[in-house]
């Protein structure tokens, strides 16, 4: 009799546990958007890399949909992130170029944003990682108190960020508007014009650097952890991060967000810092790739994505979690530091079959890895549909039945069916933003004339600048080798006129 009672109690407990699990399985999917920084189209083995093996991202791509025509709007980070957040082309608004670390917030607090779409649908929202969209209402700000508006004011319930990029001051973490580990007896001061405090700079004391700066790129101001940064900083010694621990700190916060949000669906915007400079991966990855610190950083990135996938699995909600992985722009090797990214490239091709790279109007500037995984809902495969990060606002608004106010997120298109693999048709038209504006339509690409230099000598990347129009048929010429502008003048005019019409759109 006792055995029967125990068996009954055990069975009851199992049923109770199953019911509890069912309560945490929401009808709406959890959404994790993982954003790499300066990762190229050819940097992952699932996109053809042979010198680097990225097993976790390969697994994500294999169980989901890998896009061969996934795009950022811009070939640099701040503009791409602005478009992602607002659903608006960044070139429509002044001040959306690459921001210094002390910039004011450029995301409107009174308009629809990507996290607000999820909040209106009842989601918990969080951002962990790189922000680089400005903080506060002005450049001059007190880094020793509450720093707002910022991520929390544009739709995120929780934020754990660094303000700009790892190569810019201030080199500190902010958690929900406040600098982490701040000592008020050692206040932080930041200035991008004039030196502040007594910290040595890379320009004055290159002998103190553990990673030398590349000439002419501005990474020779305040030294933090043996690395020269852009901009000047004083104070905040206890709050300053250690470069080798930045990635794992972000990972810890992201995993905790996933683990603690089971009562309702969540949206996590997880912004990785790899492989952006300065590339200083954790010790366990140093030397692992054989391609210098850039290759090591990509292996660290891949491992980090694997850890997120494990955390989702452990939460019991893997089949109810949609993961999107992409990059804010294309790759660059020498972007301010002598870290052997060039000398130890060893046959690796970060751009894959594409021309250009970061800062470029050519395809490698904006065409990036783009993977969507939602087990049981998104059928595994490869899609050639043209999709863009800017369209996530309209697409998720459609999925979650959220209404976007008239006049907001006006450049975002609903490409939900393409993102979920239900259609092979994505965008038909996309404006790409770099030194020139380009227009892609139905496989054709028009690059508007630009008299600037054809090469950016500081980073050794083709800019795509040319004094006359360029026309490429990307469907047949993904490498943009053959300029067809003279052969098809009517197509040039058609696309140039369409670009002008889009520019004039309110």
């Amino acid at each position: 009799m006792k055995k029967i009672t125990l068996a009954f109690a055990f069975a009851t407990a199992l049923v109770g546990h199953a019911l509890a699990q069912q309560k945490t399985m929401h009808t709406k999917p959890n959404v994790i958007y993982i954003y790499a920084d300066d990762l190229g189209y050819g940097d992952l083995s699932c996109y053809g890399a042979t010198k680097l093996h990225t097993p976790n991202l390969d697994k994500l791509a294999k169980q989901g949909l890998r896009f061969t025509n996934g795009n950022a709007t811009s070939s640099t980070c701040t503009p791409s992130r602005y478009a992602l957040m607002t659903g608006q082309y960044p070139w429509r608004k002044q001040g959306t170029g690459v921001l210094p670390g002390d910039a004011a917030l450029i995301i409107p607090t009174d308009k629809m944003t990507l996290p607000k779409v999820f909040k209106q649908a009842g989601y918990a929202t969080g951002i962990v990682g790189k922000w680089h969209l400005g903080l506060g209402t002005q450049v001059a700000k007190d880094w020793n108190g509450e720093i707002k508006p910022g991520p929390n004011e544009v739709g995120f319930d929780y934020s754990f960020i660094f303000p700009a990029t790892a190569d810019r001051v201030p080199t500190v973490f902010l958690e929900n508007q406040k600098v982490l580990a701040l000592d008020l007896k050692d206040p932080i001061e930041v200035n991008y014009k004039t030196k502040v405090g007594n910290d040595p700079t890379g320009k004055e004391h290159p002998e103190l650097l553990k990673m030398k700066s590349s000439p002419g790129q501005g990474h020779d101001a305040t030294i933090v952890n043996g690395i020269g940064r852009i901009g000047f900083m004083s104070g905040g010694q206890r709050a300053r991060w250690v470069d080798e621990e930045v990635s794992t700190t972000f990972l810890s916060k992201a995993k905790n967000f996933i683990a603690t949000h089971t009562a309702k669906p969540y949206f996590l915007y997880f912004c990785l810092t790899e492989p952006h400079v300065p590339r200083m991966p954790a010790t366990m990855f140093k030397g692992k790739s054989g391609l210098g610190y850039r290759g090591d950083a990509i292996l660290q990135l891949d491992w980090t994505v694997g850890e997120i996938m494990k955390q989702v699995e452990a939460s019991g909600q893997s089949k109810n979690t949609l993961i999107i992985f992409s990059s804010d722009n294309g790759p660059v090797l020498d972007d301010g530091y002598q870290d052997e990214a060039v000398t130890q490239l060893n046959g690796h091709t970060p751009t894959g079959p594409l021309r250009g790279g970061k800062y470029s109007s050519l395809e490698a500037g904006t065409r990036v890895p783009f993977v969507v995984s939602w087990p049981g809902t998104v059928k595994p495969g490869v899609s050639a549909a043209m999709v863009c990060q800017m369209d996530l606002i309209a697409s998720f608004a459609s999925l979650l039945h959220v209404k976007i106010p008239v006049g907001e997120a006006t450049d975002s298109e609903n490409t939900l069916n393409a993102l979920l693999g239900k259609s092979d048709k994505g965008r038909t038209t996309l404006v790409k933003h770099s030194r020139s504006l380009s227009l892609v339509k139905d496989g054709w690409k028009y690059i508007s004339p630009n008299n600037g230099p054809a090469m950016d000598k500081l980073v050794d990347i083709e800019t795509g600048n040319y004094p006359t129009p360029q026309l490429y048929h990307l469907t047949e010429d993904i490498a943009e080798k053959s300029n067809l502008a003279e052969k098809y003048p009517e197509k040039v005019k058609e696309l140039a006129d369409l670009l002008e019409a889009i520019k004039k759109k309110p």
Side-chain angles (χ1 to χ4, degrees), residues 34-75:
I34 305 176
Y35 215 13
D37 198 351
D38 294 356
L39 187 74
Y41 188 85
D43 273 327
L44 306 178
S45 41
C46 55
Y47 277 87
T50 57
K51 301 294 183 178
L52 279 173
H53 182 44
T54 50
N56 295 296
L57 280 160
D58 291 358
K59 178 181 178 182
L60 190 74
K62 188 175 181 179
Q63 71 184 29
L65 197 58
R66 180 175 66 84
F67 288 87
T68 58
N69 196 0
N71 296 273
T73 59
S74 311
S75 65

Side-chain angles (χ1 to χ4, degrees), residues 101-127:
D102 60 353
L105 179 69
I106 61 172
I107 304 297
T109 58
D110 60 344
K111 305 291 185 183
M112 181 61 78
T113 63
L114 182 59
K116 284 182 182 179
V117 167
F118 289 97
K119 278 186 70 70
Q120 288 194 19
Y123 278 60
T125 58
I127 173 176

Side-chain angles (χ1 to χ4, degrees), residues 451-470:
N451 289 317
M455 288 289 297
D456 186 329
K457 293 182 179 180
L458 283 177
V459 294
D460 195 29
I461 289 175
E462 287 186 275
T463 61
N465 292 338
Y466 201 68
T468 59
Q470 295 174 76

Side-chain angles (χ1 to χ4, degrees), residues 7-9 32 109 114 126 132 151 154 166 182 206 242 273 287 332 340 369 448 459 461 464 470:
F8 178 77
I32 302 174
T109 58
L114 182 59
H132 208 185
V154 301
L182 179 66
V242 176
T273 185
V332 59
E340 299 181 321
S448 54
V459 294
I461 289 175
Q470 295 174 76

